[in-house]
Each structure stands twice: as C-alpha cells, then as structure tokens.
Amino acid sequence: MNTARTASGLPFMKMHGLGNDFVVIDARKGDDPVTPALARALGDRHRGVGFDQLAVIRPAQGADFTLDFWNSDGSRAGACGNATRCVSDYMMRQLGQDRVTLLTERGELGAVRRADGMVSVNMGAPILDAAQIPVLPGNDPAHLPLEGDPIAVGMGNPHCVFFVEDANSLDPAARGPAVEHDALFPERTNVEFASLIGPDHLRMRVWERGTGITLACGSGTCATAVAANLRGLTGKHVLVDVDGGQLEIDWREDGVWMTGPTAHVFDATLTPEFLASL
C-alpha cells in the first residue's frame, strides 16, 4: 500500500501490537498529508477510525524508511515502539528481507524478524539525563519528588515509572493524568505503574501522554524494564506483562531491544468527504 492521497481519498492501514492500535499511512510516494486536525479526526473512535498512535511512513536517505508518530489529541510523539515493530514487519514483507533500518526522532533504529516470527526492534539507548528526558532542572530523574518515588527514563519520549505492590489492582486513570501534566515534565510524560511478579518478570499498566490508557506501550515497556534494572529489581533481560499480552525486553550494549507479536488488521480508504470536512 505505497500510496498517497488521491481524488478518491487517502488509503491507510490498521495495525496493532498486543492491542496497542495504530493507523498507518504510507506516504513514500507523495507529500505527508497529516496535520494536527487530521490526526485528531482520525483518532476519534466514534467519528473517525480510532487509534492509540498514528504512524506515517516517509522516504529516507541511508535507511529503508522514515517513521513519524502522532497522538490522538493531535500532538506529535517522538517514539512508539509497538508501531515501529508493526510497520517494520510490513516493510520487511514488502522488501522481501528479514531486517530493516528506519529513521525516527531518535535517529537510526534497526528491526529484525526472529526465527519464531516475532519482530524485534532496537529502541536505542535509554536517556537518563534530566535535560534530555526532559525533567525540570534541579531534579534527580532517579528519584523524582513525587509520592511513590518514581524514576524518569527517556526513550525518545519521556516516561515516569512508579513501582507499586500490585499493578493489577491499580487504575492508571486515577493518577496518570495529574502526573502527565505535572510541572516536573516540560513536555508532559507517559506514566507507568509496574510491579514485580517473578524473577525478571514485571506487570505494567500505562497512561500514555496525549492518549490515555492503552493495552500496551512499547517505549513504556522499555522504560519500565530499564527503571527496574536501575532500581535493582531485575536483570537486563525481562518479560513484561501488559494489559494486551507480553513483551520481551533486552537491554544490551547497543540499545534496548523489544520483541513481540504484530498484526495487520485491514486496509481501507478515508473518503474525500471525510477529508473535506476537516
């Protein structure tokens, strides 16, 4: 589906990784059609299509493709791990290869298809410097001055990770919005609540910046695994159970690798009438 907007509408794909769902637009043969208004309209689950994030594929020099991300409130997202895996799977099938390179705001990332069919993506090295996450100057990302002693980790977007006794019994909507908009985070933040359920095995729930509760968050899962290791709770290779299933995280010397399933649900076209209404 390497297509662009035409007189008959705008083609798109619907994909998900563990229920973390995406609209994907392949804009390699035309101009990027996405505006904040289009992202908001598409993200509306009642009047549009609905998604946790919108991903736009664009051409790249020196890599197989470029990938940009939008939230459902029309804001930009710097990273989206599950969408990166889904789109990498699609591109590997298109190109007839088992690995691809892509450009995001994080720089060049790599993705591979494992022998078991799962797709792994290198999300890059975690960001632990306050200014780069970003966290308000004068605060220690390893011990933020919030109830629960959370830790801040950047994965191309900011994350605030709380370790709790039982993530299953916690409602992310009860505290997530307030933390997302806390003055500690100049660009707002994603919020994770995690608990240890076994050796190198975590349970995590998430409130995503600009979206809300999602069934899975790839970059958030990576940030949580990094935070758990920094707190001495786990090693660097962990399983993380999210609402939609399980992801495997491996913090290596070359970056944080995330592995899990992908699904390409359907292809469709936004009508000219819908596009003209924006």
Side-chain angles (χ1 to χ4, degrees):
M1 184 180 276
N2 190 354
T3 54
R5 183 170 177 168
T6 68
S8 60
L10 178 63
F12 70 93
M13 296 174 280
K14 190 69 185 289
M15 297 180 168
H16 78 84
L18 297 177
N20 189 194
D21 68 325
F22 318 105
V23 165
V24 180
I25 295 174
D26 190 342
R28 285 176 293 158
K29 284 191 174 179
D31 294 333
D32 182 350
V34 179
T35 63
L38 177 58
R40 286 192 297 270
L42 263 175
D44 189 319
R45 294 190 183 274
H46 301 286
R47 296 177 176 86
V49 178
F51 59 74
D52 290 332
Q53 272 79 36
L54 169 64
V56 183
I57 309 171
R58 295 191 296 106
Q61 289 189 343
D64 291 306
F65 59 98
T66 297
L67 199 53
D68 298 325
F69 306 105
W70 295 77
N71 295 313
S72 58
D73 67 354
S75 62
R76 296 297 294 267
C80 182
N82 285 318
T84 301
R85 289 191 304 101
C86 287
V87 175
S88 294
D89 186 17
Y90 163 75
M91 290 297 294
M92 283 188 275
R93 294 179 191 279
Q94 269 219 339
L95 299 172
Q97 55 197 51
D98 289 329
R99 59 181 62 240
V100 289
T101 57
L102 61 143
L103 299 179
T104 72
E105 288 189 14
R106 292 227 69 191
E108 184 174 310
L109 304 178
V112 300
R113 188 188 312 285
R114 298 197 318 192
D116 61 4
M118 295 283 193
V119 174
S120 300
V121 60
N122 183 354
M123 294 294 292
I127 300 168
L128 305 176
D129 176 75
Q132 295 182 55
I133 291 173
V135 171
L136 201 65
N139 291 282
D140 179 7
H143 294 281
L144 293 175
L146 293 173
E147 183 181 355
D149 188 30
I151 180 171
V153 177
M155 290 301 308
N157 50 6
H159 296 269
C160 178
V161 183
F162 291 84
F163 290 101
V164 298
E165 185 174 346
D166 181 12
N168 276 325
S169 64
L170 185 145
D171 178 10
R175 193 172 184 196
V179 177
E180 175 190 352
H181 293 277
D182 194 282
L184 277 170
F185 307 100
E187 298 179 7
R188 297 183 292 160
T189 187
N190 298 278
V191 189
E192 287 79 28
F193 303 92
S195 53
L196 187 68
I197 58 176
D200 294 329
H201 194 176
L202 298 166
R203 172 71 169 104
M204 184 201 83
R205 303 199 70 202
V206 61
W207 175 271
E208 287 201 48
R209 175 185 64 169
T211 297
I213 295 174
T214 61
L215 296 180
C217 175
S219 61
T221 306
C222 293
T224 297
V226 168
N229 178 259
L230 293 176
R231 287 283 171 93
L233 299 175
T234 68
K236 293 190 172 184
H237 189 174
V238 300
L239 297 177
V240 183
D241 293 353
V242 294
D243 287 356
Q246 187 177 84
L247 289 166
E248 176 186 342
I249 309 299
D250 191 7
W251 184 8
R252 308 176 193 170
E253 289 187 6
D254 63 344
V256 182
W257 285 82
M258 175 184 57
T259 303
T262 65
H264 183 162
V265 184
F266 63 82
D267 299 331
T269 302
L270 299 172
T271 66
E273 293 79 11
F274 176 81
L275 296 169
S277 70
L278 303 178

